[in-house]
Amino acid sequence: LVLDGEGGQVLTKPSNVTYKNDDREALPGISQVSFNGSMVLNRAGNFSLRFKFTDIPGGKVSRFEMPLHVADP
């Protein structure tokens, strides 16, 4: 999810990535999940990238937010 400097949503639809592993025995050993994505921001300014991770079987949710500064060309 991309937010502008005031906290408003920039993109009309946030990206949704699903990681699926049916081997429950292997899940505790997984320390990272990688994905690639791209976005286009059409103006300079300060933004935030917000990530939300949901463990559906475990019923846990984690969030991470980081600043993003887009400079004038």
Side-chain angles (χ1 to χ4, degrees), residues 17-66:
V17 178
T18 301
Y19 174 79
K20 184 175 181 181
N21 187 331
D22 292 327
D23 183 0
R24 299 196 98 181
E25 301 296 322
L27 291 177
I30 296 172
S31 62
Q32 65 186 22
V33 176
S34 298
F35 71 94
N36 292 319
S38 63
M39 66 181 145
V40 176
L41 297 174
N42 60 4
R43 64 185 184 276
N46 292 310
F47 301 88
S48 293
L49 293 176
R50 182 180 292 166
F51 298 90
K52 177 181 171 186
F53 306 94
T54 305
D55 173 3
I56 295 171
K60 296 179 182 177
V61 176
S62 297
R63 292 177 177 82
F64 173 74
E65 190 168 319
M66 63 181 280

